[in-house]
Amino acid sequence: MATTIATIGARPRVVLVLQGGGALGAYQAGVYQALHEHGLTPDWVVGTSIGAINAALIAGNERANRLTRVRQFWNEVAQNDLLDMRSVPDSVRQFNIMLTTWNAMTHGVPGFFLPRWGNPFAFGWQVPPETASFFDTGPLQNTLARLIDLEYLNSPDGIRLTVSAIRVSCGLLDNFDTSQQRVGIPHIMASGALPPGFPPVRIDDELYWDGGLYSNTPLETVLADEPRVDTVCFMVDLWSAEGPEPKTLEQVQTRQKDVMFASRSQRHIDAYLREHTLRRTVRMLRAKLPDAALSAAEQQEIDAIGDESTIHIVRLAYAGRDWQMASKDINFSRGSVEWRWDQGYQDAMRAIEHGAWRIRAPEGAGVLVHEVGPSGICERKEPTARSRG
């Protein structure tokens, strides 16, 4: 029987957090499909880079069209394989992926980006900032304009969307949030403007680059949100902080990317827990003080701390094998895209079936992290004593 949000006691807020990772983002699409089919419609989607694109496709369409638009995007950017990858050995699959990746770098990806042949930028010459890149993302702008309903995206009755981008001039991270402003195609494009491949995007006279340069997993946006409410947060990771010691140039470059873009969520969770403990202590002390001991302003400030809440973080991590290829995020092979989508779907289905967030949290827990282990069993982990499942 399908698990729906209505089965989770008093309904918590549902949040979907999506990392950056280029072509690896097909895994996120599979995760969303499982949530969609089980009525776990996010109240809020937070994304960076390809995560921002997937997030906008979800939040920028009515429920009847969401999954269709997400699938349409990935079908359009996927590159056809030379052979049916399901019926050939690994060596042939690897060779095919190398060819499709090379093709993406030399010819671009339809509906996403095209190479800037003859651009002086490639030779170290000065160019306008908006063209300071190896690729032109004009095709992506057209694709997003066609697949996203901007009026619905910015409707107060829709899904809240937050995408992040970094200011080129000063390195500050900005969050573009539909609960605070109107978000358009440029904001989504800015979140995925990873240099030097993609050009910066100018918004209100400010140039922006990919938010993943600052933080590739925007979990801190959710943890910092006020007021605090009970939340089930599905966090999708595309890069692994752990891996084997590299022995070749390709393995070194792959490991470098994994380390650079892997989630730093543990640091943010620990900081949240410290603040959670402090807030809880303040509330306990407030309960022991007579009202006369505090001024009206002091009472108001303490009361603003709010009630105790719990965040369940369901972590879904892409564990695909990419033959230690540093260019795995540019691998738009149709077979790879379909495989990643299926893996995301299967992992999310296991998490939903277990329903770890329905387990009553220990008093004062603050944050509980649930991960799908190799056996497919969703394990509950205390954030301060985290270990691999």
Side-chain angles (χ1 to χ4, degrees):
M1 183 179 67
T3 302
T4 66
I5 194 64
T7 65
I8 312 177
R11 188 190 189 283
R13 175 178 61 177
V14 178
V15 181
L16 180 60
V17 174
L18 304 175
Q19 242 187 19
L24 305 181
Y27 178 86
Q28 299 172 340
V31 170
Y32 172 70
Q33 180 184 354
L35 299 181
H36 180 87
E37 291 178 354
H38 288 77
L40 288 163
T41 301
D43 300 293
W44 182 16
V45 190
V46 186
T48 296
S49 198
I50 194 65
I53 293 174
N54 279 328
L57 291 168
I58 294 168
N61 285 287
E62 297 182 9
R63 175 175 171 79
N65 298 326
R66 283 175 198 149
L67 187 57
T68 300
R69 293 290 182 260
V70 173
R71 191 178 295 280
Q72 188 174 351
F73 172 81
W74 285 101
N75 281 339
E76 291 183 11
V77 301
Q79 296 182 300
N80 291 329
D81 297 307
L82 298 176
L83 300 168
D84 183 354
M85 293 298 102
R86 296 168 297 182
S87 59
V88 295
D90 271 2
S91 58
V92 177
R93 290 194 188 98
Q94 186 175 5
F95 179 70
N96 173 79
I97 287 173
M98 292 174 64
L99 286 179
T100 54
T101 301
W102 178 251
N103 184 66
M105 296 177 67
T106 56
H107 294 86
V109 173
F112 204 141
F113 58 86
L114 292 171
R116 295 185 189 273
W117 293 118
N119 186 8
F121 173 78
F123 303 99
W125 298 351
Q126 191 176 73
V127 297
E130 290 84 353
T131 63
S133 65
F134 295 124
F135 298 101
D136 175 10
T137 53
L140 176 61
Q141 182 176 2
N142 296 332
T143 299
L144 296 180
R146 179 165 43 86
L147 297 181
I148 295 173
D149 182 344
L150 291 177
E151 293 308 313
Y152 183 82
L153 176 68
N154 291 281
S155 167
D157 299 325
I159 296 174
R160 178 182 175 187
L161 171 72
T162 304
V163 298
S164 59
I166 190 170
R167 296 187 201 175
V168 175
S169 60
C170 62
L172 291 178
L173 186 74
D174 283 347
N175 287 322
F176 303 114
D177 192 319
T178 55
S179 71
Q180 301 172 9
Q181 66 184 102
R182 183 176 178 83
V183 173
I185 301 301
H187 302 96
I188 303 163
M189 297 279 292
S191 185
L194 183 64
F198 295 164
V201 175
R202 192 176 296 279
I203 301 173
D204 296 332
D205 295 328
E206 189 76 54
L207 277 180
Y208 285 93
W209 271 337
D210 192 311
L213 294 172
Y214 184 96
S215 177
N216 198 41
T217 307
L219 178 65
E220 64 268 32
T221 302
V222 178
L223 297 178
D225 192 54
E226 296 285 353
R228 296 188 175 187
V229 298
D230 288 342
T231 299
V232 177
C233 176
F234 293 91
M235 183 176 72
V236 187
D237 287 348
L238 301 178
W239 305 88
S240 176
E242 299 178 8
E245 296 180 352
K247 300 177 181 178
T248 67
L249 175 60
E250 184 75 19
Q251 291 174 358
V252 167
Q253 291 175 327
T254 302
R255 196 77 204 100
Q256 179 189 25
K257 269 192 176 180
D258 277 331
V259 171
M260 184 183 304
F261 294 120
S263 173
R264 304 292 187 269
S265 58
Q266 186 59 50
R267 180 181 60 193
H268 300 300
I269 291 171
D270 289 342
Y272 180 91
L273 281 173
R274 288 192 294 270
E275 184 178 347
H276 174 83
T277 301
L278 180 60
R279 287 174 176 239
R280 196 161 187 262
T281 301
V282 169
R283 284 195 300 269
M284 291 172 58
L285 292 174
R286 169 68 182 93
K288 295 180 180 181
L289 286 174
D291 290 343
L294 299 171
S295 67
E298 290 171 336
Q299 290 183 37
Q300 185 177 5
E301 186 174 355
I302 293 177
D303 290 341
I305 291 177
D307 296 328
E308 189 166 308
S309 61
T310 302
I311 296 181
H312 289 266
I313 299 174
V314 182
R315 180 176 178 267
L316 296 152
Y318 172 66
R321 181 181 60 178
D322 290 272
W323 292 282
Q324 295 288 0
M325 295 176 66
S327 58
K328 58 187 177 182
D329 52 328
I330 316 174
N331 167 22
F332 286 89
S333 155
R334 187 169 300 278
S336 296
V337 166
E338 292 175 351
W339 187 88
R340 289 164 178 159
W341 184 303
D342 182 66
Q343 292 302 302
Y345 179 78
Q346 297 298 335
D347 287 351
M349 289 290 285
R350 286 199 296 270
I352 292 169
E353 182 179 358
H354 190 273
W357 58 88
R358 291 177 298 180
I359 301 172
R360 183 176 296 277
E363 185 178 356
V367 179
L368 289 173
V369 181
H370 312 278
E371 297 188 6
V372 179
S375 63
I377 298 174
C378 200
E379 302 170 350
R380 184 166 74 178
K381 300 181 181 300
E382 298 297 333
T384 53
R386 190 185 183 93
S387 62
R388 295 290 294 181

